[in-house]
Amino acid sequence: MKKIHVAKHSGFCFGVRMAVDKALKEAKKGKNVVMLGDIVHNEHVIRMIEEAGVRVITALDEKNPGTLLLRAHGTIPEVYEEAKKKGYTIVDATCPLVLEIHRRVRMLEEEGYTIVIIGDVGHDEVVGIAGQIKKSIVISQSGEVSKKIPRRLRKIGVVVQSTQNIENAQSIVYELAHKCQELRFFDTICKPTKLYQAEIRIMPKENDVMIIVGSFNSANTKRLTEISRSINPRTYQVESAGDVKPEWFAEAKSIGISAGSSTPDWVIQDVIQQISKIINKPVPLCGMG
Ligand code: SF4
């Protein structure tokens, strides 16, 4: 009998849940509510919010301002200023833990540190953190340290994108310690990320196949997939039930399922249903002769 194990820590984190609740609450008011880009990185959630009446825009419109929802992983200060100037009412859905990273980089800047952000270059959250200060260096892997910091510095202050891989961040911090006289490190990887990653370091050892549910543009889902695949190559990421392939489960006795922090529960449930249907089907016998 094949078994399915679902991660205890998976799906919506509190920051995403708060952002979605704010969006739906504003949508209910029935006014001109817009979001600049995706409020969270999951197409199912965006569709649900759009269906509730919130429009996605790509630029702020002076002629038709309304209520502007700002994304869970933070926004650069210029967007706040432009929105205010153009007459928008701002509803800030930035996760409090991301706001805390903003506060810390501003503080490090005031104290004269060269600021390093450990994170993915170009990711919304990293852009939002870098936007709080005049100058920063973004490093995504330890191999980049010497290239990006060729000379030894006096003081380096470090923060981390909330959804980074803990082990990757540790190896970068280790390299940075050799690059300065004083290192100040704030471990700003959020608690939900740590819990999800701790579980995903165990589950792939205990299951024959791992399925990670979430968008390909979601940083934390990508991270879960990378960690899981490094332990168990039979790891597959799916965005929805339709992506699940029967051949993945050949001879698998147990299947582990985890999901990124922006994946809604109903999508996880659909994937579980789909996998149960596949693995409980009798395997067709091959014809002989
Ligand atoms: S992943 Fe962490 S930082 Fe991002 S929204 Fe969730 S709780 Fe907040």
Side-chain angles (χ1 to χ4, degrees):
M1 179 75 181
K2 300 187 188 218
K3 285 193 181 136
I4 294 178
H5 300 113
V6 182
K8 208 156 68 187
H9 302 288
S10 62
F12 273 11
C13 60
F14 79 90
V16 167
R17 198 176 299 282
M18 255 175 50
V20 172
D21 287 349
K22 275 190 184 174
L24 296 178
K25 194 174 150 204
E26 288 308 313
K28 254 195 200 150
K29 294 181 187 166
K31 302 224 181 85
N32 179 18
V33 187
V34 296
M35 49 189 166
L36 191 57
D38 295 344
I39 189 167
V40 299
H41 285 140
N42 185 277
E43 59 287 347
H44 302 280
V45 178
I46 298 302
R47 207 175 309 135
M48 175 186 75
I49 294 173
E50 281 186 298
E51 279 165 9
V54 177
R55 277 185 306 120
V56 177
I57 56 166
T58 50
L60 297 173
D61 177 8
E62 216 156 342
K63 291 185 204 101
N64 188 24
T67 301
L68 174 68
L69 286 161
L70 294 180
R71 60 166 72 98
H73 275 140
T75 309
I76 53 171
E78 287 79 1
V79 171
Y80 285 81
E81 282 153 29
E82 192 190 344
K84 268 196 234 150
K85 247 192 239 159
K86 289 187 171 168
Y88 282 91
T89 305
I90 296 173
V91 174
D92 192 351
T94 309
C95 173
L97 302 182
V98 174
L99 291 175
E100 181 59 19
I101 306 178
H102 292 183
R103 196 186 66 75
R104 289 191 191 266
V105 281
R106 287 195 298 263
M107 188 195 80
L108 286 169
E109 183 177 63
E110 270 169 32
E111 293 178 9
Y113 287 86
T114 298
I115 294 156
V116 170
I117 304 167
I118 298 178
D120 300 329
V121 178
H123 184 275
D124 293 342
E125 182 184 339
V126 175
V127 172
I129 298 168
Q132 306 302 313
I133 46 182
K134 289 191 198 84
K135 239 172 107 187
S136 57
I137 300 165
V138 180
I139 295 182
S140 59
Q141 281 165 11
S142 58
E144 297 168 14
V145 171
S146 284
K147 214 170 82 192
K148 295 205 172 169
I149 307 176
R151 281 179 296 109
R152 204 171 145 81
L153 300 170
R154 200 167 63 82
K155 290 161 63 157
I156 295 181
V158 190
V159 295
V160 195
Q161 180 184 2
S162 63
T163 53
Q164 274 290 309
N165 179 337
I166 301 150
E167 286 176 357
N168 182 47
Q170 282 167 342
S171 66
I172 294 173
V173 171
Y174 180 78
E175 298 264 322
L176 288 171
H178 294 90
K179 283 283 174 187
C180 58
Q181 290 165 22
E182 183 193 330
L183 184 84
R184 186 126 186 240
F185 169 54
F186 288 111
D187 175 3
T188 50
I189 297 174
C190 70
K191 194 171 173 201
T193 295
K194 284 180 178 159
L195 291 171
Y196 293 20
Q197 287 187 9
E199 220 176 348
I200 208 68
R201 287 194 163 88
I202 297 167
M203 286 183 80
K205 293 179 193 154
E206 296 175 343
N207 292 281
D208 300 316
V209 173
M210 284 298 300
I211 302 295
I212 315 294
V213 192
S215 288
F216 286 99
N217 65 354
S218 153
N220 70 82
T221 309
K222 188 176 120 191
R223 216 78 65 202
L224 292 178
T225 305
E226 282 168 2
I227 296 171
S228 178
R229 193 167 286 145
S230 70
I231 301 165
N232 182 343
R234 289 181 77 182
T235 295
Y236 305 95
Q237 184 180 335
V238 296
E239 288 189 335
S240 59
D243 299 336
V244 176
K245 299 215 166 34
E247 58 267 30
W248 292 343
F249 309 102
E251 288 165 42
K253 289 198 176 63
S254 68
I255 293 117
I257 300 177
S258 182
S261 58
S262 49
T263 311
D265 199 41
W266 76 85
V267 175
I268 304 171
Q269 289 308 322
D270 279 356
V271 170
I272 296 172
Q273 291 304 322
Q274 180 66 11
I275 295 173
S276 334
K277 256 194 251 160
I278 292 171
I279 63 176
N280 289 325
K281 256 191 211 159
V283 180
L285 289 172
C286 292
M288 292 184 61

